[in-house]
Amino acid sequence: MKKKVLFADTHELLEADLKRTERAALQGASFYWEGEVLAHLGGTSFFMTKALSQMSSSMKASFKQQVISFIDQGDYATSSYVGFFSMLQSLLNSISTSSFDLNWIAQALENSGFRRNKKMMTRFLLQWRERDSNIIDQDVLSFLNDASPHRNGPRHVLSDDPEKSWLTNEEYDGLLSVVWKNYDNGTSCTQVTLIKLLSMQYARRPIQIAYLKVGDICNSDSLGNIGHYIDFPGAKDLAAETSFRDSKPETHPLPDHIWDLCCIQLQEVRELYENVLSRTLTDDQFKILPLFCSKRRIKEAQQLIETRHQYNLLDHLGSELLHLPK
């Protein structure tokens, strides 16, 4: 006698299938507030004290609630939220405000990073207004929504200005997403990812990135301002006597997500140098070495310096020979 085959209730099957397609655990669980610090488990934390300094206590509380609510929606990848709040933190630090009025929006639109994130910012403010109608006027929100995602002017692809990217805003956002995805899944190493991010963020020439040294990543600028900075070696300076790091450096602030990656790169490249050279480096020795390098390049430079030129490598750690080809 055949056993009777029992089928699960159709409703139960449907319910189980729907659960398999539900959105994964809310990303907001990994973001939380500690006072005025937006903390991210296992990632970048955003110190918002200065950014929120002009807001009233009620507006500050509403802002904090909106941040978590916005992340909980789960409409974007974690890397997108990190990039967005890094931009917003930097912008509010430089243009602090007690209200998101037309004047603040107009100033914010002068910032290229804000324009790149305009769509996400519009959604953020729209959702916030739905929760708290006093936060921003509808007219201001409409003004932001209607603003161009990029400044008027000729296509950047026609420009030789190194400050301008050849990418459209849509291309930039798409490429940024791919860069972080490749890093997260291990397709790209820290060094390759950092080179890509620096190229996208600052539009520096390849030679300026190739000639970066460890000491160019610093905690203050030439004026003594405390913060995270990068000193790109200048390029094509008419007053330069040589072509190797002899031009006026260009100092730029580092956003937190790039600073964090720089810290990882510094750790990894130090291990590389010390492993290949079979010695522990002092901080002063480490600072004059290239930020980006490879085992093969170190060995090639060591061969040239010690064998061909008969020099002590430790006396020439700042040599151009150790830098990767530009």
Side-chain angles (χ1 to χ4, degrees):
M1 179 178 177
K2 292 183 179 180
K3 291 184 178 180
K4 184 177 180 181
V5 180
L6 298 177
F7 291 95
D9 181 81
T10 303
H11 176 74
E12 292 177 353
L13 286 173
L14 180 59
E15 186 177 40
D17 194 59
L18 286 174
K19 285 183 177 179
R20 284 197 293 269
T21 62
E22 282 179 350
R23 181 180 295 156
L26 295 177
Q27 300 186 63
S30 65
F31 288 86
Y32 58 94
W33 286 97
E34 286 188 344
E36 295 188 356
V37 177
L38 176 59
H40 177 208
L41 286 175
T44 301
S45 291
F46 303 94
F47 295 83
M48 303 290 288
T49 301
K50 182 179 179 181
L52 306 180
S53 61
Q54 299 300 312
M55 296 184 187
S56 65
S57 57
S58 59
M59 183 177 182
K60 193 181 299 183
S62 182
F63 175 84
K64 290 180 179 180
Q65 184 180 355
Q66 169 57 18
V67 167
I68 300 302
S69 176
F70 185 62
I71 297 171
D72 279 348
Q73 293 293 321
D75 294 328
Y76 300 92
T78 299
S79 57
S80 296
Y81 288 116
V82 170
F84 175 74
F85 288 112
S86 177
M87 176 280 299
L88 191 56
Q89 175 197 34
S90 177
L91 187 63
L92 286 171
N93 280 344
S94 59
I95 315 175
S96 57
T97 186
S98 58
S99 65
F100 291 93
D101 55 15
L102 186 60
N103 180 56
W104 187 85
I105 294 294
Q107 291 184 71
L109 285 168
E110 294 297 314
N111 182 286
S112 59
F114 181 84
R115 282 186 179 267
R116 281 197 301 270
N117 286 275
K118 186 185 79 75
K119 185 175 181 180
M120 195 168 178
M121 185 67 187
T122 302
R123 177 174 288 190
F124 176 82
L125 291 174
L126 178 61
Q127 290 182 5
W128 194 4
R129 176 178 165 77
E130 289 174 352
R131 288 183 41 252
D132 188 345
S133 60
N134 294 321
I135 289 301
I136 185 170
D137 291 339
Q138 182 60 51
D139 290 345
V140 176
L141 199 55
S142 297
F143 173 79
L144 173 61
N145 185 60
D146 294 341
S148 170
H150 50 80
R151 296 180 183 179
N152 294 328
R155 287 288 306 277
H156 290 178
V157 72
L158 303 177
S159 173
D160 290 328
D161 187 345
E163 296 290 343
K164 297 179 179 179
S165 171
W166 281 25
L167 302 173
T168 65
N169 293 284
E170 291 77 13
E171 290 169 339
Y172 181 95
D173 292 339
L175 182 57
L176 184 64
S177 177
V178 171
V179 168
W180 279 115
K181 180 179 180 181
N182 287 342
Y183 179 66
D184 290 339
N185 64 26
T187 303
S188 290
C189 64
T190 303
Q191 177 162 288
V192 171
T193 302
L194 183 55
I195 289 173
K196 290 177 180 177
L197 290 177
L198 290 175
S199 299
M200 293 171 60
Q201 181 81 14
Y202 302 103
R204 298 300 88 189
R205 295 183 175 91
I207 191 173
Q208 293 178 278
I209 293 178
Y211 282 170
L212 279 169
K213 289 188 177 294
V214 168
D216 292 327
I217 306 299
C218 44
N219 288 311
S220 63
D221 63 11
S222 58
L223 299 177
N225 295 317
I226 303 301
H228 302 147
Y229 294 91
I230 182 169
D231 288 332
F232 285 101
K236 296 186 177 181
D237 190 335
L238 295 178
E241 296 180 3
T242 71
S243 60
F244 177 60
R245 293 180 57 89
D246 199 26
S247 298
K248 183 179 179 181
E250 303 171 11
T251 302
H252 296 274
L254 281 171
D256 287 343
H257 65 288
I258 295 185
W259 167 259
D260 289 342
L261 204 61
C262 283
C263 291
I264 297 173
Q265 172 64 13
L266 291 174
Q267 180 181 349
E268 292 182 357
V269 79
R270 183 164 198 152
E271 291 176 358
L272 172 67
Y273 287 127
E274 294 185 343
N275 178 265
V276 176
L277 299 176
S278 300
R279 66 177 301 115
T280 300
L281 298 169
T282 67
D283 289 343
D284 288 339
Q285 289 173 328
F286 183 50
K287 285 180 180 179
I288 62 175
L289 284 164
L291 177 62
F292 303 115
C293 205
S294 68
K295 182 177 181 179
R296 178 179 177 180
R297 189 66 175 181
I298 297 170
K299 287 186 172 294
E300 288 176 346
Q302 188 174 23
Q303 174 74 12
L304 286 171
I305 293 172
E306 294 184 342
T307 304
R308 180 177 298 182
H309 298 296
Q310 300 292 306
Y311 293 141
N312 185 340
L313 177 62
L314 294 180
D315 294 332
H316 294 81
L317 293 177
S319 171
E320 180 181 359
L321 294 174
L322 281 158
H323 288 261
L324 293 172
K326 59 271 188 191

